[in-house]
C-alpha cells in the first residue's frame, strides 16, 4: 500500500501518529515523518489514521480496493 501525505496541508495534529505509530511519527512539534510503503498488516490502523486526519492530508492508494473486496466476500458469505 502506498501512502502520500500532503505536508503543505498537514498541521501537525498527530492523530495519525497516535493511531498508526508504526507508520507515522512526529519529528519535533510540527514535522511529520512516515513510511510511504506501509505493510498490509497496518491496513486497519491506516484506515483509521486517514479518516481521523482533521485536514485530510493523508491518502492511501489501495486502501479502498481491499476494503471493497472484503465487503464483497462478506456479502458472498465467504
Amino acid at each position: 500500500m502506498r501512502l502520500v501525505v500532503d505536508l503543505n496541508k498537514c498541521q501537525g495534529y498527530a492523530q495519525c501518529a497516535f493511531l498508526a505509530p508504526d507508520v507515522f511519527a512526529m519529528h519535533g512539534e510540527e514535522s511529520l515523518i512516515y513510511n510511504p510503503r506501509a505493510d498490509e498488516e497496518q491496513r486497519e490502523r491506516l484506515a483509521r489514521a486517514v479518516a481521523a486526519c482533521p485536514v485530510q492530508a493523508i491518502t492511501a492508494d489501495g486502501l479502498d480496493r481491499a476494503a471493497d473486496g472484503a465487503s464483497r466476500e462478506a456479502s458472498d458469505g465467504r
Side-chain angles (χ1 to χ4, degrees):
M1 181 175 354
R2 182 174 171 261
L3 294 176
V4 177
V5 177
D6 183 340
L7 297 175
N8 290 317
K9 261 185 167 179
C10 179
Q11 297 295 307
Y13 290 106
Q15 295 300 308
C16 57
F18 175 73
L19 293 167
D22 292 339
V23 179
F24 303 97
M26 295 302 293
H27 184 260
E29 291 184 24
E30 297 180 7
S31 181
L32 178 71
I33 55 175
Y34 68 101
N35 177 1
R37 300 276 180 201
D39 295 330
E40 286 294 317
E41 296 84 34
Q42 297 295 322
R43 181 173 297 283
E44 187 175 326
R45 290 179 182 213
L46 288 172
R48 290 181 183 157
V50 169
C53 180
V55 295
Q56 300 177 338
I58 308 167
T59 57
D61 292 343
L63 193 60
D64 293 335
R65 282 178 271 159
D68 290 344
S71 297
R72 275 186 246 125
E73 287 179 7
S75 66
D76 290 346
R78 293 184 197 173

